[in-house]
Amino acid sequence: MSNINNANTARISLSSINRVLASVGIDPFPGPDFDALPDVTAPTEDEISTALAGIKGDPGKSSAVQALATRAWLAGTSTAQALEHGAWVTAWDTARAAVPPLLEDIRDRYAEHAEKLSHAAQGDFKGTRDLDTLDLSTLDTRRAMKAGEVIQDYRAAKALHAAWRTIWATLQGGSATHWSEMARPTSDQYRTARDATPQTFPTPDPWSVARLGWTGVLPESLKAARQIRAEYQADANEADEHAARTARRSSLRGGGIIL
């Protein structure tokens, strides 16, 4: 049963990753090489009839019949399925080994598009909350061309993030999408967003990140994204505690208490 489970996991994982690779223009990983496996399919009735029609005497002495009998015996065992299961696992293992450089390429490409989005969000399209509201037919030629480029960058960034997330969710398990998967604010930017009322953290969307002026970047993994969130919160808490200690000292000094 474990071979079947491993093969199913391998098939599902490989299919999931190949779908998102295609969406960002990366060639999919090859599937299992079944051509390299021996043919252990059971003989058909036509094959058996043909073999029997071509012999005289004892069928057991016919090499053709013996070959068919061997195929029937092999097909009746679990060996054939085990070989197919193993081929799926091998294909998945090969794909996993080739994933790291693809992820780096995806991260690099995302950073390029995120930087362009940031320039647009802080420049010509500052104040545009939703790129879907841009109607290119109503814009002058220059602005329409720039809007088209921004929309292309946005779509590319979304597709790259989706590919990155799907790959890591396949490798590490998924979790709710969070802005830390696509942004790296400064500590001050994080605290400003946290302390605002209401809080001004971006939605997990490349344009939302760009509108806040945060640096758009994909972390090394989903696990790294969770660690980044914890580090931001720890740094913010430490800054709060430092500010509180400083305020207490100032208050004590103002009251004439010598520290």
Side-chain angles (χ1 to χ4, degrees):
M1 184 63 70
S2 61
N3 286 339
I4 296 176
N5 291 339
N6 291 340
N8 285 338
T9 298
R11 182 172 62 253
I12 293 170
S13 299
L14 195 59
S15 297
S16 297
I17 288 181
N18 278 343
R19 280 196 298 271
V20 294
L21 290 182
S23 71
V24 293
I26 298 177
D27 291 336
F29 293 114
D33 184 9
F34 291 133
D35 292 337
L37 301 181
D39 181 9
V40 291
T41 57
T44 65
E45 290 187 4
D46 287 343
E47 289 177 310
I48 296 172
S49 297
T50 300
L52 290 175
I55 62 174
K56 295 180 180 180
D58 183 3
K61 295 180 179 180
S62 167
S63 59
V65 171
Q66 290 176 2
L68 294 179
T70 299
R71 281 178 53 194
W73 172 75
L74 287 172
T77 69
S78 60
T79 303
Q81 278 193 326
L83 291 174
E84 290 184 7
H85 296 334
W88 273 108
V89 172
T90 297
W92 172 231
D93 288 342
T94 300
R96 281 195 299 182
V99 158
L102 293 185
L103 284 167
E104 285 306 303
D105 176 53
I106 288 172
R107 292 179 69 211
D108 289 343
R109 289 166 59 189
Y110 179 89
E112 292 176 5
H113 290 292
E115 184 176 7
K116 293 178 182 178
L117 289 175
S118 181
H119 288 315
Q122 304 304 314
D124 289 343
F125 295 92
K126 187 172 183 177
T128 302
R129 296 183 60 85
D130 187 349
L131 292 177
D132 288 338
T133 63
L134 292 176
D135 184 356
L136 273 60
S137 66
T138 64
L139 304 177
D140 61 67
T141 302
R142 174 187 170 279
R143 189 168 175 80
M145 291 179 62
K146 284 186 172 292
E149 292 172 357
V150 172
I151 291 171
Q152 287 182 353
D153 286 320
Y154 173 67
R155 290 174 177 171
K158 285 195 68 173
L160 289 163
H161 169 258
W164 173 91
R165 168 170 250 281
T166 297
I167 292 172
W168 276 116
T170 301
L171 296 174
Q172 294 183 340
S175 59
T177 308
H178 193 269
W179 61 259
S180 58
E181 296 175 19
M182 54 182 64
R184 187 67 66 87
T186 65
S187 295
D188 287 342
Q189 286 173 328
Y190 175 86
R191 288 197 297 274
T192 297
R194 184 200 62 172
D195 296 341
T197 305
Q199 291 184 340
T200 55
F201 287 117
T203 58
D205 178 82
W207 184 246
S208 180
V209 169
R211 290 187 64 239
L212 282 181
W214 292 11
T215 299
V217 62
L218 299 176
E220 293 183 357
S221 66
L222 280 172
K223 182 178 179 180
R226 291 191 290 270
Q227 181 62 34
I228 287 170
R229 295 202 296 273
E231 290 174 356
Y232 274 123
Q233 188 59 55
D235 288 345
N237 290 341
E238 184 178 348
D240 290 344
E241 291 172 2
H242 177 74
R245 288 195 299 269
T246 301
R248 283 197 299 271
R249 291 193 186 100
S250 297
S251 177
L252 292 172
R253 282 197 297 268
I257 299 176
I258 301 175
L259 300 178

